[in-house]
Amino acid sequence: MSTRTFIAITAIALACVGCSSNPNETPSGAVSATSSSSATVSALPSSTVVAPAAPEPPPVPPPQPVTYECGNLDLYQSGTALYSDGTTGYEAECDTYVAPAAPELRYCDYGGTAVFTDGSYAVNDPRCAATAPSPESGYPYNESEDRNGDGVVNGYERCGVLCGEEPTSGDIQTQYGCEQGYITGPQCE
């Protein structure tokens, strides 16, 4: 079909648009023409041309429930939950923390100091208040040497040579450092 023929048929079809009293009805004289590019010309008014409906999106499946598993205690803190959506959080079911038992009294040290199984100590434990120091064990208690106030004079707290007593380990180390030359000054005189 030539372009002139197509234009002529289109003009005739458009001229007949107002021929019918029903706007949805195609007039009897209207001609529909198809070009080589498969375009269809309709005789209906442009206000009644309905655009094709957009395709409906596929239905969205309901979300999967979020589940969790407890994290490996070698990698995570106790109580850590690893959720199926990739997040982490706390779940009581995953919490395996057990509070440590209270330390027990191991022995009463010099000066009535209570020494416990976890290595801590207390000077006011009533179980050790009446304990008399043994003269054969430890250093004699001298309140002026008790630098941390724990009721026990440890070796590092002793005065030693400066007070006219036996040398402490610190005194011996200082003397050695002076002899080797890596300690200098008034403490080596």
Side-chain angles (χ1 to χ4, degrees), residues 53-61:
E56 290 189 28
V60 177

Side-chain angles (χ1 to χ4, degrees), residues 25-117:
E25 182 181 321
T26 304
S28 60
V31 176
S32 169
T34 306
S35 72
S36 60
S37 63
S38 301
T40 303
V41 175
S42 173
L44 295 176
S46 63
S47 62
T48 59
V49 175
V50 180
E56 290 189 28
V60 177
Q64 296 294 325
V66 177
T67 59
Y68 68 91
E69 62 182 48
C70 296
N72 182 343
L73 291 177
D74 292 337
L75 302 172
Y76 298 97
Q77 292 179 345
S78 178
T80 302
L82 307 172
Y83 296 102
S84 60
D85 65 358
T87 59
T88 59
Y90 173 81
E91 291 290 337
E93 182 180 307
C94 298
D95 197 349
T96 59
Y97 175 75
V98 177
E104 296 179 18
L105 177 66
R106 196 159 86 196
Y107 63 90
C108 292
D109 201 0
Y110 193 80
T113 302
V115 179
F116 300 102
T117 53

Side-chain angles (χ1 to χ4, degrees), residues 127-141:
R127 295 174 288 184
C128 295
T131 306
S134 170
E136 296 88 32
S137 65
Y139 299 104
Y141 183 75

